[in-house]
Coordinates of all heavy atoms in Angstrom, one line a residue:
I426 N -1.9 -11.9 -3.5 CA -1.5 -11.6 -2.1 C -0.3 -12.5 -1.7 O 0.6 -12.1 -1.1 CB -2.6 -11.6 -1.1 CG1 -3.7 -10.6 -1.5 CG2 -2.2 -11.4 0.3 CD1 -4.9 -10.6 -0.6
H427 N -0.5 -13.8 -2.1 CA 0.6 -14.7 -1.7 C 1.9 -14.4 -2.3 O 3.0 -14.6 -1.7 CB 0.1 -16.1 -2.1 CG 1.1 -17.2 -1.8 ND1 1.3 -17.7 -0.5 CD2 1.9 -17.9 -2.6 CE1 2.2 -18.6 -0.5 NE2 2.6 -18.8 -1.8
N428 N 1.9 -13.9 -3.6 CA 3.1 -13.6 -4.3 C 3.6 -12.1 -4.0 O 4.4 -11.6 -4.7 CB 2.9 -13.8 -5.8 CG 2.6 -15.2 -6.1 OD1 3.1 -16.1 -5.4 ND2 1.9 -15.5 -7.2
L429 N 3.0 -11.5 -3.0 CA 3.3 -10.1 -2.7 C 4.8 -10.0 -2.3 O 5.3 -10.8 -1.5 CB 2.5 -9.6 -1.5 CG 2.6 -8.1 -1.2 CD1 2.1 -7.2 -2.3 CD2 1.9 -7.8 0.1
S430 N 5.5 -9.0 -2.9 CA 6.9 -8.8 -2.6 C 7.1 -7.4 -2.3 O 6.3 -6.5 -2.6 CB 7.8 -9.2 -3.8 OG 7.4 -8.5 -5.0
L431 N 8.2 -7.1 -1.6 CA 8.6 -5.7 -1.3 C 9.7 -5.2 -2.1 O 10.7 -6.0 -2.4 CB 9.0 -5.7 0.2 CG 7.9 -6.1 1.2 CD1 8.4 -6.0 2.7 CD2 6.6 -5.3 1.1
P432 N 9.7 -4.0 -2.5 CA 8.7 -3.0 -2.2 C 7.4 -3.2 -3.1 O 7.5 -3.8 -4.1 CB 9.3 -1.7 -2.7 CG 10.3 -2.0 -3.7 CD 10.9 -3.4 -3.3
I433 N 6.3 -2.8 -2.5 CA 5.0 -3.0 -3.2 C 5.0 -2.3 -4.5 O 5.3 -1.1 -4.6 CB 3.9 -2.5 -2.3 CG1 3.8 -3.4 -1.0 CG2 2.5 -2.6 -3.0 CD1 2.9 -2.9 0.0
E434 N 4.5 -2.9 -5.6 CA 4.5 -2.3 -6.9 C 3.0 -2.1 -7.4 O 2.8 -1.3 -8.3 CB 5.2 -3.2 -7.9 CG 6.7 -3.2 -7.6 CD 7.5 -4.0 -8.7 OE1 6.8 -4.5 -9.6 OE2 8.7 -4.1 -8.6
D435 N 2.1 -2.8 -6.8 CA 0.7 -2.7 -7.2 C 0.2 -1.2 -6.9 O 0.2 -0.8 -5.7 CB -0.2 -3.7 -6.4 CG -1.6 -3.6 -6.9 OD1 -2.0 -4.0 -8.0 OD2 -2.4 -3.0 -6.1
P436 N -0.2 -0.5 -7.9 CA -0.6 0.9 -7.7 C -1.7 1.1 -6.7 O -1.7 2.1 -5.9 CB -0.9 1.5 -9.1 CG -1.2 0.2 -9.9 CD -0.4 -0.9 -9.3
V437 N -2.7 0.2 -6.7 CA -3.9 0.4 -5.8 C -3.4 0.2 -4.4 O -3.8 1.0 -3.5 CB -4.9 -0.7 -6.2 CG1 -6.1 -0.6 -5.2 CG2 -5.5 -0.4 -7.6
L438 N -2.6 -0.8 -4.2 CA -2.2 -1.1 -2.8 C -1.2 0.0 -2.3 O -1.3 0.4 -1.1 CB -1.5 -2.5 -2.8 CG -1.1 -3.0 -1.4 CD1 -2.4 -3.1 -0.5 CD2 -0.5 -4.4 -1.5
K439 N -0.4 0.5 -3.2 CA 0.5 1.6 -2.8 C -0.3 2.8 -2.3 O 0.0 3.4 -1.3 CB 1.4 2.0 -3.9 CG 2.5 1.0 -4.2 CD 3.3 1.3 -5.5 CE 3.9 2.7 -5.4 NZ 4.7 3.0 -6.7
F440 N -1.2 3.2 -3.1 CA -2.0 4.4 -2.8 C -2.8 4.2 -1.6 O -3.0 5.1 -0.7 CB -2.9 4.8 -4.0 CG -3.4 6.2 -4.0 CD1 -2.5 7.2 -4.3 CD2 -4.7 6.5 -3.7 CE1 -2.9 8.5 -4.3 CE2 -5.1 7.8 -3.6 CZ -4.2 8.8 -3.9
L441 N -3.4 3.0 -1.4 CA -4.2 2.7 -0.2 C -3.3 2.8 1.0 O -3.8 3.4 2.0 CB -4.7 1.3 -0.3 CG -5.5 0.7 0.9 CD1 -6.7 1.6 1.2 CD2 -5.9 -0.7 0.7
L442 N -2.1 2.3 1.0 CA -1.2 2.3 2.2 C -0.9 3.8 2.5 O -0.9 4.2 3.7 CB 0.1 1.6 1.9 CG 1.1 1.5 3.0 CD1 0.5 0.9 4.2 CD2 2.3 0.7 2.6
V443 N -0.6 4.6 1.5 CA -0.3 6.0 1.8 C -1.5 6.7 2.4 O -1.4 7.5 3.3 CB 0.2 6.7 0.5 CG1 0.3 8.2 0.7 CG2 1.5 6.1 0.0
L444 N -2.7 6.5 1.9 CA -3.9 7.1 2.4 C -4.2 6.7 3.8 O -4.6 7.5 4.6 CB -5.1 6.7 1.5 CG -5.1 7.4 0.1 CD1 -6.4 6.9 -0.6 CD2 -5.1 8.9 0.2
I445 N -3.9 5.4 4.2 CA -4.1 5.0 5.5 C -3.1 5.7 6.5 O -3.5 6.1 7.6 CB -3.8 3.4 5.6 CG1 -5.0 2.7 4.9 CG2 -3.7 3.0 7.1 CD1 -4.8 1.2 4.8
I446 N -1.9 5.9 6.0 CA -0.9 6.7 6.8 C -1.4 8.1 7.0 O -1.4 8.7 8.1 CB 0.5 6.7 6.2 CG1 1.0 5.2 6.2 CG2 1.4 7.6 6.9 CD1 2.3 5.1 5.4
I447 N -1.9 8.7 5.9 CA -2.3 10.1 6.0 C -3.5 10.2 6.9 O -3.7 11.2 7.7 CB -2.7 10.6 4.6 CG1 -1.4 10.7 3.7 CG2 -3.4 12.0 4.7 CD1 -1.7 11.1 2.3
L448 N -4.4 9.2 6.9 CA -5.6 9.2 7.8 C -5.2 8.9 9.2 O -5.7 9.6 10.2 CB -6.6 8.1 7.3 CG -7.8 7.8 8.2 CD1 -8.7 9.1 8.3 CD2 -8.5 6.6 7.7
A449 N -4.3 8.0 9.5 CA -4.1 7.5 10.8 C -3.1 8.5 11.6 O -3.3 8.7 12.8 CB -3.4 6.1 10.8
A450 N -2.2 9.1 10.9 CA -1.2 10.0 11.6 C -1.8 11.1 12.4 O -1.5 11.2 13.6 CB -0.2 10.6 10.6
P451 N -2.7 11.9 11.9 CA -3.4 12.9 12.7 C -4.2 12.4 13.9 O -4.2 12.9 15.0 CB -4.2 13.7 11.7 CG -3.7 13.4 10.4 CD -3.2 12.0 10.5

């Protein structure tokens, strides 16, 4: 997490972020 850079490349974190957006938007 400390070495986290943008854009995010970790597949788990990427998918989690997209799912949070899909959940929160509606």
Side-chain angles (χ1 to χ4, degrees):
I426 296 176
H427 179 73
N428 294 331
L429 184 67
S430 61
L431 299 180
I433 297 172
E434 295 183 359
D435 181 74
V437 176
L438 190 55
K439 285 173 62 178
F440 199 73
L441 174 62
L442 181 59
V443 173
L444 289 180
I445 290 174
I446 293 172
I447 295 173
L448 173 65

